[in-house]
Amino acid sequence: MTRFLAWLALIFGCVFFILPLVGMGEFSLKMRRGVYSFDAYRKVFEDPTFWATFGYSLVLAAATIVVGVLLVVPTAYWVRLRLPKARPYVEFVTLLPLVIPAIVVVFGYIRLFNTSSILPLTGTAFGTDFLLTMGYTTLALPYMYRSVDTGLRTIDVATLTEAAQSLGAGWLTILARIILPNVMVAVLSGAFLTLAIVMGEFTMAALLNRPAFGPYMQLLGANRAYEPPALAVIAFAITWGCMGLMQLVTRLAKHERAKA
Amino acid sequence: MTYLTLAHLEKSFGQNHVVKDFNLTVEKGEFISLLGPSGCGKTTVLRMIAGFEAPSSGAITIEGQDVTGLRTSARNIGMMFQAYALFPNLTVAENVGFGLKVGGVAKAERAARVTEILEMIGLPELGGRYPFQLSGGQQQRVALARALAPRPRVLLLDEPLSALDAKVRVALRNEIRSIQQELGITTIFVTHDQEEALSVSDRIVVMNAGVADQVGTPFEIYNRPATRFAAGFVGTLNLIAAKVIDPKTGTVALAGMNLQVQGTAQRAAGSDVTLALRPEGLRLGRGDGEGAVFRANVASVQFMGSTIRIEVMAAGQKLTLDTFNRADQPPPRPGDEVEISLSGNNAIVLD
Ligand SMILES: Nc1ncnc2c1ncn2[C@@H]1O[C@H](COP(=O)(O)OP(=O)(O)O)[C@@H](O)[C@H]1O
Ligand SMILES: [Mg+2]
């Protein structure tokens, strides 16, 4: 009886999540009257704006990941090594992006860095891209910090650091050759989450008026019938692809260096 | 020529005064053990030599260079930890070569040195493995190789054997000692295990509550402990109350008998002292008739192979004595009445 109920719950859950997806997928195939076709997908892929915005967001995601790793890995390392008492506060700060809406952050940016300010970053495309990258880094901070901190927990940070120091290594060498490779799996899982966030982000890109993938999806959704669900399916495929990669990387890395 | 000097080292963690006026001079190539109970500050002294902790005051000199304020990476020391601390993302060969790589040694020379040192520790074929594929003993050998590869000035070992099982522990400690002698590398070894310290060291520093109680060769530490703590911490000891009769001739009285001992010159006639005797300093039987003879009642007999440990009740207290096993002479049984004798030459006079 309990087994039956468990199965029932599982099936209900699956239906609850999959049915809308199936419906959406089915609808996206119905562009041509009467038959299933990939017309909507072709339309999307033929649209140069799709490729331009997709590429733009991808580049920004890469930049965000690099900035995030450079910011988070040394910080989380240092907090674990030298400031364990500060950990609750640092965690609190990294959680702030979850409670402060992106729109508040971006209005703050615009007020601080507008063309009549001391640092007119919004005046140039590059400056705005830079701002947007910083904004994305902030949004991804909770996920990046948590993954890296979890990764650091699996190694004996203090002793490995001392071993490396006794062999003559400086801080940069320790971070690059010892700490980073040992938390690579965690960094990658943080990176894929960052990628997923950046690809879908709308508010910041729209308000800073940059040609990102999020606003493009929004625009398409407001004006077309069949393409938006096709786009949604594509976005899902990308996200799931990321998840799969994450799993794959984790498994490969485990094989290579299981923790002693 | 003094190679490593620790002068008036002090260390406090807040209110906790952990190391107190610690002084030590070490010759080049010497193997020194810091021996003491857990929490007495051994690790703290070692970490100050390594540069992981800054002394509250005092100075550390290596090869005439004052390194007190120098950062660890510039000290050129090798260190081995209890927890192995191999880099999990690097192979054995990469671990061993790490210090050389950081030091800018060219690739070919590095590879040659790694091969040489892996051969020295007896693991020449394991260069391609990762640390998690090795046993604890193998990992600790690799850690030794890694510490030695860059030819450090001083090798520092913090209880490197305590995580290993008994057999590996003995084998590895002998190996560490023989490699140390082969390379002639100055070594400081921290341990709380007296047998370990006695068996491998040139000299031992017995530490108690942050103070160096006694510094001496294993022979001196064992046979002539300077303090009650050193006497009690290293080996088993019988303590017998006595009274000084004549400080000049070394005559003391115990249990109604007179005995000639050494080390009473500084004491007043009539003062109370304690005689300390190792179990092997007491003899079963009358011996040659010199010294004091007690009637004793055997309480327990432990057959240990080449030696036999016997506990007896004599002069109102429990005494422990060791005798060699002899095939033609069965040991006494519990309850037997025996005679035991002790010679004043084996007695250590304590307060
Ligand atoms: N980083 C530290 N902060 C505060 N107290 C410490 C620190 N390191 C060691 N201690 C204290 O110093 C004392 C000696 O420690 P330690 O040198 O590790 O002893 P041992 O190695 O002889 O067991 C202990 O009481 C320990 O609690
Ligand atoms: Mg210790």
Side-chain angles (χ1 to χ4, degrees):
Chain A
M1 191 59 197
T2 42
R3 272 182 78 86
F4 173 73
L5 280 179
W7 277 107
L8 198 70
L10 185 70
I11 289 167
F12 176 75
C14 288
V15 169
F16 185 83
F17 282 109
I18 289 174
L19 212 57
L21 282 180
V22 171
M24 186 175 73
E26 202 239 358
F27 183 71
S28 74
L29 297 172
K30 274 176 145 174
M31 196 171 190
R32 201 175 298 175
R33 199 166 291 255
V35 286
Y36 286 135
S37 71
F38 284 102
D39 281 10
Y41 292 85
R42 209 180 53 239
K43 271 260 163 60
V44 168
F45 287 133
E46 275 171 358
D47 182 357
T49 321
F50 167 80
W51 292 107
T53 54
F54 191 81
Y56 176 83
S57 284
L58 212 55
V59 170
L60 245 60
T64 305
I65 289 166
V66 171
V67 173
V69 169
L70 289 182
L71 178 72
V72 166
V73 173
T75 308
Y77 167 67
W78 197 252
V79 168
R80 273 209 170 259
L81 190 68
R82 290 291 148 87
L83 305 167
K85 289 206 189 88
R87 245 184 90 212
Y89 305 102
V90 175
E91 280 197 356
F92 175 74
V93 170
T94 62
L95 282 179
L96 283 178
L98 290 183
V99 285
I100 299 175
I103 195 160
V104 174
V105 175
V106 80
F107 267 120
Y109 281 175
I110 291 170
R111 282 207 64 132
L112 276 175
F113 303 111
N114 64 35
T115 42
S116 52
S117 70
I118 309 169
L119 200 62
L121 284 175
T122 55
T124 60
F126 182 78
T128 316
D129 290 346
F130 174 79
L131 258 189
L132 194 52
T133 307
M134 293 304 128
Y136 286 160
T137 309
T138 313
L139 286 185
L141 198 58
Y143 309 98
M144 201 54 151
Y145 189 86
R146 225 134 286 263
S147 343
V148 170
D149 198 49
T150 309
L152 285 173
R153 196 175 320 166
T154 62
I155 57 172
D156 186 349
V157 170
T159 317
L160 290 183
T161 300
E162 289 181 353
Q165 283 178 323
S166 74
L167 292 164
W171 293 115
L172 206 61
T173 312
I174 295 174
L175 271 171
R177 297 245 183 93
I178 306 299
I179 302 301
L180 191 59
N182 278 303
V183 295
M184 208 54 196
V185 172
V187 166
L188 282 174
S189 75
F192 288 129
L193 284 170
T194 306
L195 181 67
I197 290 168
V198 170
M199 293 314 286
E201 209 283 331
F202 169 75
T203 318
M204 287 190 165
L207 286 173
L208 288 173
N209 197 22
R210 295 304 295 152
F213 193 55
Y216 170 74
M217 285 202 286
Q218 176 72 17
L219 190 74
L220 209 63
N223 297 314
R224 300 295 177 89
Y226 294 100
E227 287 92 333
L231 205 54
V233 170
I234 295 167
F236 257 101
I238 293 169
T239 313
W240 284 355
C242 284
M243 299 280 187
L245 271 180
M246 210 148 92
Q247 287 293 320
L248 193 72
V249 164
T250 313
R251 205 156 303 164
L252 283 182
K254 274 239 176 64
H255 172 73
E256 192 136 280
R257 47 180 115 83
K259 299 287 159 18
Chain B
M1 221 305 296
T2 310
Y3 190 74
L4 166 69
T5 311
L6 310 181
H8 306 293
L9 276 192
E10 302 263 352
K11 180 69 188 178
S12 300
F13 293 106
Q15 293 295 308
N16 193 359
H17 199 173
V18 174
V19 176
K20 298 159 195 160
D21 194 28
F22 193 92
N23 294 285
L24 183 68
T25 56
V26 183
E27 301 293 309
K28 186 161 175 49
E30 247 191 319
F31 192 116
I32 303 278
S33 289
L34 304 184
L35 174 66
S38 172
C40 73
K42 308 178 295 289
T43 297
T44 306
V45 170
L46 201 74
R47 290 172 59 82
M48 287 193 284
I49 302 174
F52 298 136
E53 305 282 357
S56 304
S57 68
I60 302 165
T61 316
I62 304 176
E63 277 185 316
Q65 178 198 11
D66 185 343
V67 299
T68 316
L70 204 62
R71 62 185 193 284
T72 301
S73 53
R75 286 194 188 194
N76 191 12
I77 46 119
M79 179 118 184
M80 236 170 119
F81 303 84
Q82 183 178 335
Y84 318 141
L86 295 178
F87 305 128
N89 57 312
L90 302 181
T91 63
V92 166
E94 287 166 342
N95 262 285
V96 175
F98 184 84
L100 300 168
K101 192 166 180 180
V102 168
V105 176
K107 202 172 176 186
E109 193 185 335
R110 205 161 71 214
R113 175 73 176 154
V114 168
T115 310
E116 174 195 3
I117 206 110
L118 281 180
E119 242 152 52
M120 187 182 282
I121 58 155
L123 300 173
E125 72 286 3
L126 295 189
R129 295 247 191 118
Y130 280 93
F132 75 93
Q133 297 168 311
L134 305 180
S135 72
Q138 289 172 328
Q139 288 192 52
Q140 201 57 303
R141 266 163 222 256
V142 174
L144 175 65
R146 181 180 66 176
L148 290 173
R151 300 191 168 83
R153 299 193 285 188
V154 183
L155 180 64
L156 305 172
L157 312 168
D158 191 359
E159 312 220 9
L161 306 171
S162 21
L164 304 171
D165 54 47
K167 242 197 176 121
V168 181
R169 198 152 62 212
V170 173
L172 191 52
R173 93 178 172 214
N174 294 335
E175 204 165 326
I176 289 175
R177 174 59 161 164
S178 76
I179 290 175
Q180 181 267 334
Q181 284 176 320
E182 189 182 327
L183 298 176
I185 184 168
T186 312
T187 301
I188 314 285
F189 178 84
V190 162
T191 181
H192 63 264
D193 184 329
Q194 41 137 335
E195 188 199 326
E196 223 164 79
L198 290 170
S199 62
V200 297
S201 317
D202 290 315
R203 282 192 299 153
I204 295 173
V205 181
V206 180
M207 282 186 70
N208 178 25
V211 176
D213 246 31
Q214 186 179 5
V215 183
T217 63
F219 184 83
E220 287 164 359
I221 296 283
Y222 189 81
N223 292 305
R224 296 278 159 223
T227 64
R228 189 178 276 261
F229 174 82
F233 188 73
V234 182
T236 311
L237 210 61
N238 295 299
L239 296 174
I240 305 167
K243 211 179 238 336
V244 178
I245 304 288
D246 184 351
K248 284 207 189 67
T249 59
T251 311
V252 298
L254 69 158
M257 273 169 290
N258 278 2
L259 189 69
Q260 302 293 123
V261 299
Q262 284 157 10
T264 54
Q266 311 300 328
R267 293 165 209 274
S271 61
D272 290 318
V273 291
T274 304
L275 297 187
L277 280 133
R278 296 290 179 199
E280 63 273 24
L282 290 169
R283 295 181 54 161
L284 198 58
R286 254 179 193 279
D288 49 18
E290 274 179 37
V293 179
F294 295 90
R295 297 212 57 77
N297 194 304
V298 176
S300 73
V301 177
Q302 262 182 67
F303 189 74
M304 311 219 280
S306 63
T307 62
I308 301 164
R309 172 154 292 193
I310 303 168
E311 289 197 326
V312 299
M313 294 300 296
Q317 71 177 107
K318 184 175 268 183
L319 298 176
T320 306
L321 62 105
D322 287 349
T323 87
F324 284 111
N325 170 49
R326 284 176 53 182
D328 58 352
Q329 200 179 67
R333 294 159 186 283
D336 285 359
E337 284 288 321
V338 294
E339 282 187 320
I340 60 168
S341 57
L342 62 93
S343 152
N345 291 333
N346 294 326
I348 306 151
V349 180
L350 301 171
D351 288 323

